[in-house]
Amino acid sequence: MTDLDIRVLDDAHYRAAHTLFRGTLHNGPANDERWEQVRPSYEPGRTFGAFADDELVGTVQSFPSRLAVPGGAVVPMAAVSRVGVRADWTRRGALTALQRAQLRAFRESGEVAATLRASEGVIYERFGYGVASRFREVRVKRASARPRLPIRGRVRLVSPEAALPVVRSLFERLSRGRAGGIARWPGWWHTNVVMDQAEANRKYAVASGPDGDDGYVIYKVTPGSFESGNEKPTLLEVLDLWASPRAWSDLWAFLFGIDLVGEVLAEGRPVDEPLEWLPVDRRAVRVTDEMDETWLRLVDVEAALSVRTYRSEGSVVIGVRDRFLPENEGAYLITPSGASRTSSSPDFVVDVDVLGAAYLGDVSFGALAMAGRFAADSPEALVRADALFAVDQVPWCGTYF
Ligand SMILES: CC(C)(COP(=O)(O)OP(=O)(O)OC[C@H]1O[C@@H](n2cnc3c(N)ncnc32)[C@H](O)[C@@H]1OP(=O)(O)O)[C@@H](O)C(=O)NCCC(=O)NCCS
């Protein structure tokens, strides 16, 4: 471990931190115009830097957000992003020191959880993050994707300028209620929608039914080539789609009906989206990937366990280990009426990343024990825990950051 100085960065260092982070992903620095657009997403107090001899060698950042938990409550959540350590400083403890400082700051500022998207699967468990939701990638052969249902309402294309307020308010309404969902901060909309609005092939379609607007899709089309010997299908990529159950089939039927498109690609979709059931020929839809989505870190375990709801009649006592935030360590009694600390001995003990993985209900304690993530002497206690943590709908976030 090298001596590194961890500091909260201010405006004087944001651009250097951004350049450093981009470099760790093998991208060049943002040009002046791009930087002016990105700059507002650096909010005071949320970016840390690791310094070696006064030189910036690593950085982490977070955005202020909220996370929906099973039962519908919403908790303060830090969305961690822009994590990078300069290539000549990796594996010397820089990220560990940054994580330690960042988690401590989250705890002190009252965040109940932190979440992130991981570039690699082996980095974050050691810091207490567990995979709490998944998404899937779907490819649709448009020519054979004749939908069973016709468009029953109206789907209209909206200009980029008019789209932003419409899609923002639809997102607020339609994303509510599902565990794993997060609030999109102003900078998210700016970076992911406003900045890319000028992109020529980006389109915005809004669905409406008897009660008004109830769904939208943002998509992009890359024209293919019809040259003989060099044919390439025109590709339609679904970038963001939120819909009521009524509008859902209208939006997909609209996408499947767009002329000249060969393939529709949708990444980041929920694992329970019934897309293969929509076309007459279900083989028009292929699930081509399933990936970890939300890496969840419970920052305040007691608050997190207390705020979600539980099912079934039984109870269980879960012991928690947490190397980075030892105040989370202890035993927690979970019952259908809530959760609290207890002095009883635990039925089983898990590291905080394992608790994070099971927290939204995407994976059971039984499955995690079977995979060797923790030891459980009592299979019956796992059954009780799983009955309590069970959820009606798989968690999904749907917001990439
Ligand atoms: C991922 C990254 C930030 C790690 O930084 P780092 O300073 O090397 O991490 P640390 O030295 O604190 O490593 C802590 C531990 O994690 C392990 N580790 C960290 N990153 C790892 C990786 N990418 N692959 C395998 N192990 C890794 C280290 O070996 C070390 O293990 P140990 O405690 O058993 O010795 C850095 O490798 C990086 O910038 N990568 C490229 C950009 C990137 O992927 N960023 C993350 C975006 S989500």
Side-chain angles (χ1 to χ4, degrees), residues 21 24-25 83-86 89-97 116-120 122-124 126-127:
F21 162 68
T24 67
L25 296 184
V83 176
V85 171
R86 218 172 66 185
W89 273 88
T90 52
R91 310 302 178 270
R92 297 205 226 173
L95 179 59
T96 306
L116 54 78
R117 306 286 176 266
S119 62
E120 292 186 87
V122 290
I123 302 171
Y124 293 103
R126 74 192 73 237
F127 306 123

Side-chain angles (χ1 to χ4, degrees), residues 238-257:
V238 174
L239 304 176
D240 198 28
L241 186 153
W242 292 85
S244 68
R246 191 213 66 77
W248 178 82
S249 65
D250 274 9
L251 286 170
W252 282 107
F254 166 73
L255 295 171
F256 294 168

